[in-house]
Amino acid sequence: MSTTDLAAMTGLELMRWIQRERPADLPSIGRLLGMRFDEVDHGRIVISLDTRPDFANPLGTVHGGIAATLLDSVMGCAVHTTLPAGVSYTTLELKVNYIRAARTDGQNLTAVGTVIHVGRRAATAEGKVLDEQGKLIAHATTTCMILQPTG
């Protein structure tokens, strides 16, 4: 699919296309970390990944940046699902609270992002990362700036 075709999609259509097609030729942080789009709904996204030794911090547990990246991704993508074609967003603020460490041994982490509010210029969302037992690893909030098309 061409870049022009992608730009003509609403945010929800684009997220569902990524979920369905899993484009291997589309460079992204999701591909780099092995993220899977498990659920895509209007205002809500669920993404999971399996941890690996490359995710380790100096203490041998999953680096906090992995959880932060998961949270930024699910919250931003949740906001994106609410936007019409041609409208985009960027993260203005990300506040993460870390609750417990995650292992690097292939543990499945699941992140859920939910929109709180979308306005013309800004949107807010919340997210959480859970381990395989449903225990909270981290939670966050974000503010995104809505970028209207120019021209």
Side-chain angles (χ1 to χ4, degrees), residues 85-148:
V87 176
S88 60
Y89 71 95
T90 190
T91 301
L92 282 177
E93 178 267 342
L94 174 67
K95 167 66 172 93
V96 179
N97 293 286
Y98 298 98
I99 305 303
R100 66 176 40 85
R103 301 183 323 269
T104 62
D105 62 355
Q107 181 180 42
N108 181 265
L109 299 181
T110 300
V112 180
T114 308
V115 168
I116 297 170
H117 170 78
V118 178
R120 179 163 163 64
R121 295 181 180 208
T124 56
E126 60 189 2
K128 57 187 174 181
V129 176
L130 305 170
D131 69 11
E132 294 167 327
Q133 289 75 44
K135 290 184 179 177
L136 188 63
I137 300 295
H139 61 95
T141 57
T142 192
T143 303
C144 296
M145 180 169 55
I146 306 299
L147 305 170
Q148 301 294 335

Side-chain angles (χ1 to χ4, degrees), residues 20-124:
R20 184 179 60 252
E21 299 298 324
R22 301 182 194 271
D25 61 340
L26 186 65
S28 69
I29 191 69
R31 184 179 80 177
L32 179 67
L33 297 181
M35 292 181 186
R36 298 176 298 271
F37 280 68
D38 300 326
E39 297 177 33
V40 175
D41 296 304
H42 186 269
R44 184 174 181 274
I45 294 278
V46 178
I47 295 175
S48 63
L49 60 72
D50 297 323
T51 65
R52 56 185 192 249
D54 288 338
F55 293 176
N57 62 26
L59 300 174
T61 58
V62 172
H63 191 283
I66 300 297
T69 300
L70 261 173
L71 288 161
D72 189 38
S73 296
V74 293
M75 294 184 298
C77 288
V79 166
H80 200 152
T81 65
T82 68
L83 302 179
V87 176
S88 60
Y89 71 95
T90 190
T91 301
L92 282 177
E93 178 267 342
L94 174 67
K95 167 66 172 93
V96 179
N97 293 286
Y98 298 98
I99 305 303
R100 66 176 40 85
R103 301 183 323 269
T104 62
D105 62 355
Q107 181 180 42
N108 181 265
L109 299 181
T110 300
V112 180
T114 308
V115 168
I116 297 170
H117 170 78
V118 178
R120 179 163 163 64
R121 295 181 180 208
T124 56

